[in-house]
Amino acid sequence: MEEVKDDKTYKGFVDRLTLGITRVLENLPGVLDVRFVEKAPAEKRCLLSWEQKNNCALPEDLRDFYLTTDGFMLAWNSKLENEVVPVGCMMINNVAQLRPLIQSNVYCLPNAPTLADLDFDDDIDGSDGPEKPHFDLRSRIFELDSCNGNGKVCLVYKSCSPGVMAQQCEVWFLDRSLFWHYLTPSFTAYYRLMITHLGLPEWQYNFTPYGPSPQAKQWAALYQPLTFHSDPHLDTSSEPFLNKLDPTKAFRGKAKPPTPKKKQPAQVPASGTGTAKGQGLSGRHSVAKR
Amino acid sequence: MSAESVSCTVKSPVALQIGDAVSDSSRPGVYITDITLAEPVNIQEISFKNFYTAYLTVRLQRRHGSTASKWVTCLKNYCLMGNPHAEAGSHDYFSIYRQQMSTEPDNVTTVRLILRQPSSEWLSFSIEEINIYPCTKEDSERDVPAWLSTLTPVDEPLDLKGLPDPETVSSSIQQMWALTEIMQASQTAASIGRFDVEGAYDVKLLSYT
């Protein structure tokens, strides 16, 4: 009896945490192994320790999230012919994995290439969008998701000063080539985006100028038919012109009026023998004319 | 260009990553290639062949006489592939000229090429056959390029070998044109007798004629 109650409570909890997406996924065609990894809540002192260590205040929604569950992991597979292919993966790092992103100190040579080479001080061309994060002390960047190696979703604190606790943060996407792309102003909005996109591969690339790769588009077309067609990338390219075949115009028959003839009323009521006689008559007529 | 390229040393590309490189299993999307020049050069052109690089940034280290050398960005995120996921532009030859750079590429000691490829489609990307051409004073001295000097002078009279007189030919053509106009104007209204009814021939009509 207690086990049944616990199971129901657990399912309700999972439904509310994932906004009911596990149920939606299980009903999709070809979806197998919807796995939600349950995690214990983070302790309050761990959050305080993180804030003091990194000198950044966690936003209220992210703090509540970590006090509910320390990290998030939901993965699902798809059946393709006779193989099972891992497709979807929604992941949020736990507090311990929320490490600051700094350049790896592999090269210590003077004049070696650094992340400063990618930071352009003049943001004149980038003035139309929000100011992009920097790789130096002006920004504090923490990794939320590693996106299976295709970039990183980062929690970014901008306009930071040394020794001052940073308050405001945003969620940005840092792609493979270390270009920054703006995602959402808050963690809650990002969480909703992640759930809505079902954790499909490279879904974050929808917020980039180049979009996801062709393979990722195939998966999106299969499992997100409605939102995929409303993709802004498709709107920019004009709709392809389709040749329409008009069968009535192509196979139009020619209306030919019958030519009035002198002998025709005599031939119509005749039988088979009558037809033969008619031919003989026409032959005689030609002979007489000559 | 006919000028010789500068002697330079192209170093091997260095991958640039953020975060812990040991635990990070992702393939890098940024490579940086340094080109060291033997002597300070006023650059006129940088030519190379692409291999799946989507965006290129060029940074130069310039010598300022007595002061220390300074890094400047002269080309920012130059697009080599229109669509990083597609093949267009992936194997093209490119040339970056002096006019395309935002700063004067004078007294350059090192050229830093930052290669970026955001797509995960390609396993590797690079640029090859890098050549750097200096500004030559010889170009300004020459008034007319070589290919222009081979043109035929206009004032030279044409050689009419074996051809009839153009005046005679012209007058004959005009007479023929006048005759053609007369023929067009004197067309008769009478139509030639035909046995077609509404564009189709009826075989039965022919037998009664």
Side-chain angles (χ1 to χ4, degrees):
Chain A
M1 186 69 71
E2 285 184 0
E3 287 180 0
V4 175
K5 278 187 176 179
D6 284 351
D7 194 42
K8 284 185 178 179
T9 310
Y10 174 74
K11 279 194 174 181
F13 168 76
V14 170
D15 273 2
R16 276 186 288 123
L17 182 63
T18 62
L19 312 178
I21 207 68
T22 50
R23 206 181 298 264
V24 172
L25 279 170
E26 281 157 10
N27 291 329
L28 287 175
V31 174
L32 304 172
D33 303 333
V34 181
R35 304 180 302 278
F36 172 75
V37 181
E38 190 192 357
K39 303 192 179 188
E43 296 183 25
K44 193 164 285 186
R45 53 188 179 80
C46 292
L47 299 183
L48 290 174
S49 174
W50 186 93
E51 286 179 326
Q52 285 170 19
K53 180 185 173 186
N54 297 294
N55 216 2
C56 297
L58 283 172
E60 198 66 30
D61 49 0
L62 186 55
R63 183 198 302 265
D64 290 344
F65 175 80
Y66 279 133
L67 291 175
T68 306
T69 174
D70 190 11
F72 184 86
M73 173 63 172
L74 194 152
W76 54 277
N77 301 336
S78 178
K79 192 183 179 185
L80 201 65
E81 195 67 24
N82 287 322
E83 301 174 16
V84 177
V85 181
V87 176
C89 180
M90 311 178 204
M91 190 177 175
I92 294 173
N93 288 342
N94 53 30
V95 182
Q97 291 169 340
L98 208 65
R99 291 186 300 266
L101 286 178
I102 50 172
Q103 190 187 352
S104 45
N105 302 319
V106 180
Y107 308 97
C108 302
L109 300 172
N111 243 353
T114 58
L115 289 170
D117 286 308
L118 307 177
D119 250 339
F120 304 127
D121 292 328
D122 48 334
D123 270 344
I124 304 167
D125 57 330
S127 60
D128 55 335
E131 188 200 353
K132 294 181 178 179
H134 301 275
F135 294 110
D136 48 26
L137 296 176
R138 285 177 286 177
S139 304
R140 291 172 194 164
I141 306 159
F142 304 93
E143 184 185 314
L144 278 173
D145 184 10
S146 60
C147 307
N148 291 323
N150 289 320
K152 293 175 200 298
V153 176
C154 305
L155 196 71
V156 174
Y157 294 82
K158 294 196 284 187
S159 309
C160 301
S161 308
V164 179
M165 178 166 275
Q167 300 288 334
Q168 290 292 323
C169 71
E170 292 164 342
V171 180
W172 285 71
F173 176 62
L174 182 68
D175 67 14
R176 246 177 116 247
S177 56
L178 306 186
F179 283 120
W180 285 106
H181 309 281
Y182 181 71
L183 285 180
T184 56
S186 65
F187 171 77
T188 306
Y190 170 72
Y191 187 79
R192 290 203 197 103
L193 267 182
M194 182 183 70
I195 298 288
T196 307
H197 282 88
L198 308 177
L200 286 159
E202 296 187 22
W203 69 268
Q204 293 93 354
Y205 273 83
N206 287 308
F207 299 86
T208 65
Y210 15 86
S213 64
Q215 288 89 345
K217 277 181 180 173
Q218 287 284 315
W219 287 118
L222 181 64
Y223 288 114
Q224 278 185 311
L226 293 179
T227 52
F228 177 74
H229 282 297
S230 65
D231 205 341
H233 296 286
L234 290 181
D235 294 341
T236 52
S237 63
S238 60
E239 195 175 332
F241 177 75
L242 296 173
N243 290 315
K244 293 182 178 179
L245 177 68
D246 191 0
T248 56
K249 201 167 187 178
F251 303 107
R252 181 180 61 184
K254 193 168 187 179
K256 189 179 175 181
T259 311
K261 296 167 189 176
K262 290 169 68 179
K263 300 288 180 179
Q264 194 170 9
Q267 290 176 15
V268 166
S271 62
T273 313
T275 309
K277 277 188 178 180
Q279 286 179 358
L281 281 173
S282 66
R284 239 180 282 172
H285 194 276
S286 63
V287 170
K289 196 173 183 180
R290 288 171 192 172
Chain B
M1 266 193 155
S2 58
E4 281 188 13
S5 60
V6 184
S7 65
C8 53
T9 307
V10 181
K11 297 182 180 178
S12 55
V14 171
L16 207 60
Q17 275 173 311
I18 194 169
D20 200 355
V22 182
S23 64
D24 221 347
S25 59
S26 64
R27 284 177 280 117
V30 181
Y31 280 104
I32 294 186
T33 302
D34 279 355
I35 303 159
T36 308
L37 308 178
E39 54 184 21
V41 175
N42 296 355
I43 295 175
Q44 170 65 33
E45 183 192 343
I46 302 171
S47 70
F48 56 89
K49 189 193 181 209
N50 190 17
F51 186 75
Y52 293 101
T53 302
Y55 300 99
L56 175 75
T57 297
V58 181
R59 281 169 67 88
L60 308 172
Q61 190 182 40
R62 295 168 52 181
R63 187 195 286 185
H64 275 288
S66 56
T67 59
S69 54
K70 188 183 174 185
W71 282 100
V72 289
T73 304
C74 63
L75 194 69
K76 198 191 297 181
N77 292 332
Y78 183 64
C79 184
L80 305 180
M81 290 167 69
N83 183 359
H85 304 298
E87 290 253 359
S90 58
H91 287 86
D92 289 2
Y93 284 86
F94 289 88
S95 285
I96 298 168
Y97 295 96
R98 190 182 181 88
Q99 299 90 332
Q100 292 173 266
M101 303 178 183
S102 56
T103 53
E104 294 281 316
D106 295 332
N107 287 316
V108 176
T109 55
T110 307
V111 176
R112 177 167 285 176
L113 305 173
I114 302 169
L115 325 175
R116 297 168 101 154
Q117 174 56 268
S119 177
S120 58
E121 293 279 300
W122 322 113
L123 291 176
S124 64
F125 61 98
S126 62
I127 54 176
E128 302 154 349
E129 302 175 31
I130 305 167
N131 288 303
I132 298 174
Y133 301 97
C135 294
T136 51
K137 297 179 180 178
E138 191 181 348
D139 288 344
S140 56
E141 291 171 7
R142 222 186 306 170
D143 296 323
V144 180
W147 63 273
L148 273 177
S149 60
T150 57
L151 288 181
T152 310
V154 186
D155 48 74
E156 186 181 333
L158 296 173
D159 187 10
L160 301 173
K161 192 182 294 180
L163 289 174
D165 183 42
E167 297 295 329
T168 311
V169 175
S170 177
S171 61
S172 301
I173 288 170
Q174 284 186 43
Q175 287 173 30
M176 278 190 271
W177 173 78
L179 285 173
T180 309
E181 289 296 310
I182 293 167
M183 286 293 291
Q184 284 181 23
S186 64
Q187 274 190 349
T188 56
S191 63
I192 305 169
R194 288 183 179 274
F195 307 107
D196 57 300
V197 180
E198 292 181 12
Y201 283 94
D202 196 347
V203 186
K204 294 175 183 177
L205 289 177
L206 299 176
S207 59
Y208 293 104
T209 315

